[in-house]
Amino acid sequence: MSSSPGAPIIQLQGLRKIYRVGKVDVEALRGVNLDVPAGEFLAVVGPSGSGKSTLFHIVGGLTPPTAGSVRVGGHDVAAMSDADRTKLRKSSVSFVFQKFNLLPTLTARDNILLAQHLAGKNHQGDARFQQVLELLGIAHRLDHKPAALSGGEQQRVAIARAIVNQPAILLADEPTGNLDSQNSGAVLEILRDLNERLGQTILMITHNPDAAAYGHRVVHMRDGLIVGS
Ligand SMILES: Nc1ncnc2c1ncn2[C@@H]1O[C@H](COP(=O)(O)OP(=O)(O)O)[C@@H](O)[C@H]1O
Ligand SMILES: [Mg+2]
């Protein structure tokens, strides 16, 4: 994805999101402004219900905002055709979640290759695939199915799956939420490596101050607003 030099890779202005639940409106975002430069590792913290996941879903094109503008890579997401939005979802933005969401019947290798296949690629032997596996330290675990892997290993496979297609932006929503402290540390080190070595732009939601400290910058959310950074 192209963007003009120096322009933020994500620009959010006046972002609002209202969910209608029965007859009740839930204001999940109440006017969020945020610029994220390319190459940043940004941590997003805030209490449960403050709108963090909603913010990520909008940036990733999974859900539309009620109002406000979202620019990713210089492109106005609302103005995109459905086809371009699908392309954005598939190739420019990738997610990692608290739950690893690996397909249980596939090996680690096939979970990663499926992501390439869905993006119309097949690069099992290519340099990127190898580089990702080495960075994540999972090359020796590829023939195992998720149930035979530790939580930390499963999350590393999920990260490999997320970045193998070289997304411009990695969105990690509580990626260490299901991990013990040792595995959390390993996953956070990997995210830092991806950021430093590959220049991967990363936005990470976390409840854990130690995890947030891995970010270059921390933004705090409360009641649908960014309240400080
Ligand atoms: N799909 C949805 N439908 C209705 N309400 C939702 C939905 N997703 C989130 N919400 C509500 O929006 C608010 C923000 O939620 P969320 O973005 O998940 O916050 P966080 O990730 O910070 O916990 C909460 O009040 C939540 O209940
Ligand atoms: Mg959440």
Side-chain angles (χ1 to χ4, degrees):
M1 172 179 292
S2 64
S3 59
S4 48
I9 195 162
I10 299 170
Q11 290 176 287
L12 309 176
Q13 273 170 4
L15 204 62
R16 306 178 74 87
K17 178 70 182 184
I18 299 172
Y19 293 106
R20 177 133 260 226
V21 184
K23 288 183 178 166
V24 179
D25 284 343
V26 177
E27 271 198 284
L29 297 176
R30 300 190 296 129
V32 167
N33 303 311
L34 179 67
D35 281 359
V36 181
E40 182 163 49
F41 185 173
L42 178 75
V44 179
V45 303
S48 184
S50 57
K52 306 180 300 295
S53 294
T54 297
L55 184 73
F56 274 30
H57 293 165
I58 291 173
V59 170
L62 298 179
T63 189
T66 305
S69 83
V70 183
R71 297 179 77 82
V72 175
H75 302 281
D76 182 344
V77 175
M80 283 180 186
S81 66
D82 284 350
D84 281 349
R85 230 188 333 265
T86 302
K87 214 160 98 189
L88 171 81
R89 263 205 313 266
K90 273 194 185 164
S91 62
S92 298
V93 184
S94 266
F95 280 92
V96 175
F97 298 99
Q98 178 172 354
K99 292 185 182 161
F100 319 122
N101 294 332
L102 299 174
L103 292 173
T105 58
L106 298 183
T107 62
R109 175 185 285 103
D110 288 343
N111 266 283
I112 300 167
L113 289 176
L114 180 63
Q116 285 203 324
H117 178 72
L118 291 174
K121 300 175 183 173
N122 180 5
H123 295 176
Q124 180 159 197
D126 81 4
R128 172 77 184 179
F129 187 75
Q130 291 308 323
Q131 183 185 25
V132 164
L133 297 181
E134 276 159 34
L135 237 161
L136 295 187
I138 49 172
H140 61 299
R141 306 293 282 156
L142 287 182
D143 293 323
H144 295 280
K145 290 182 180 169
L149 302 174
S150 72
E153 286 171 336
Q154 288 184 61
Q155 191 61 300
R156 285 190 257 166
V157 173
I159 294 170
R161 178 180 59 181
I163 63 165
V164 72
N165 296 321
Q166 299 187 256
I169 300 159
L170 179 64
L171 300 174
D173 191 344
E174 309 214 23
T176 61
N178 273 347
L179 301 178
D180 60 31
S181 64
Q182 195 184 344
N183 277 308
S184 293
V187 162
L188 290 163
E189 294 288 343
I190 280 165
L191 292 176
R192 177 148 69 194
D193 269 3
L194 292 174
N195 174 257
E196 287 179 356
R197 294 207 217 167
L198 305 182
Q200 179 69 56
T201 303
I202 300 175
L203 278 67
M204 176 179 70
I205 293 171
T206 182
H207 272 107
N208 180 343
D210 292 339
Y214 279 75
H216 300 142
R217 177 163 69 117
V218 182
V219 299
H220 298 261
M221 290 191 71
R222 182 175 295 275
D223 296 336
L225 290 169
I226 290 177
V227 291
S229 52

